Amino acid sequence: MSENVMTLQVITPAGMIYDHHANYITARTTNGEIGILPNMISTIAGLEIDELKVRRPDDETHVDYIAVNGGIIEIKDSLVTIVADSAERNRDIDVSRAERAKIRAEKALEVAKAENKSDEINRAEVALHRALNRLNVSSHK
C-alpha cells in the first residue's frame, strides 16, 4: 500500500459497513473534529453522532459520507477502524424512514418535556440527533 493511503473499516453489530482505502478522513470525536491522514499517530477516541467524510484516493473529487451514531475510532499504522452501534452510507439511507424517525423523536421530546421526564428527554434528544444526522448525510448524493 502507498505511503499516502490508509484503510478505513466501519464495523457495526450488523457487520462491515465500509471497507475502502482513503487518503483523508474527517470525524467528530467527543473532543471535537479531527482530520485523519495516512501514517498519523496512533489514537483511540470516542465518536459523536455525526457524519464521517472519506476522500478516496481513486477520485480526488469524490467524498463518501457515512452517518455514524457514536462509537469508537482507532487509528494505528494507516488502519482506521470505527466500531459503532450503527452506521449507514449516504446511498443506503432510507430517507422516508429517517423522516418518520425524526417526527417520532420530536413528538417523544415534546411529551417528555411536558411531563418533565429527564431520562425520556435525553433519549428523545439522542433519537432526534440520529435522525437528523441520517437526513443530513442522505442529502450528499
Side-chain angles (χ1 to χ4, degrees):
M1 184 168 16
S2 167
E3 271 186 32
N4 51 358
V5 175
M6 61 193 143
T7 300
L8 170 63
Q9 296 180 330
V10 179
I11 305 161
T12 70
M16 184 80 69
I17 301 300
Y18 189 88
D19 185 7
H20 287 287
H21 292 301
N23 56 15
Y24 186 75
I25 302 166
T26 304
R28 182 162 310 281
T29 72
T30 53
N31 291 321
E33 189 170 86
I34 61 169
I36 304 162
L37 293 167
N39 305 308
M40 193 170 132
I41 189 168
S42 294
T43 304
I44 294 178
L47 289 173
E48 293 286 341
I49 297 170
D50 203 35
E51 69 182 12
L52 190 66
K53 298 176 203 163
V54 183
R55 187 162 310 279
R56 296 200 0 211
D58 52 344
D59 182 357
E60 286 292 323
T61 62
H62 178 78
V63 176
D64 286 338
Y65 292 90
I66 305 165
V68 176
N69 291 318
I72 296 171
I73 186 169
E74 178 185 29
I75 304 161
K76 185 175 182 186
D77 298 330
S78 290
L79 173 62
V80 179
T81 306
I82 291 175
V83 179
D85 287 338
S86 64
E88 289 177 277
R89 291 183 69 167
N90 60 328
R91 67 183 186 197
D92 298 329
I93 294 172
D94 181 337
V95 176
S96 63
R97 187 171 150 242
E99 285 282 357
R100 290 191 306 273
K102 175 183 171 276
I103 292 166
R104 278 193 310 276
E106 288 169 339
K107 287 179 182 173
L109 184 58
E110 190 176 308
V111 169
K113 283 182 176 179
E115 296 174 359
N116 200 24
K117 294 184 176 177
S118 62
D119 286 346
E120 290 181 25
I121 291 170
N122 291 339
R123 275 194 292 277
E125 286 174 341
V126 168
L128 180 58
H129 192 169
R130 286 181 175 198
L132 292 172
N133 183 43
R134 292 176 69 228
L135 288 170
N136 177 54
V137 169
S138 73
S139 70
H140 301 292
K141 295 292 179 187

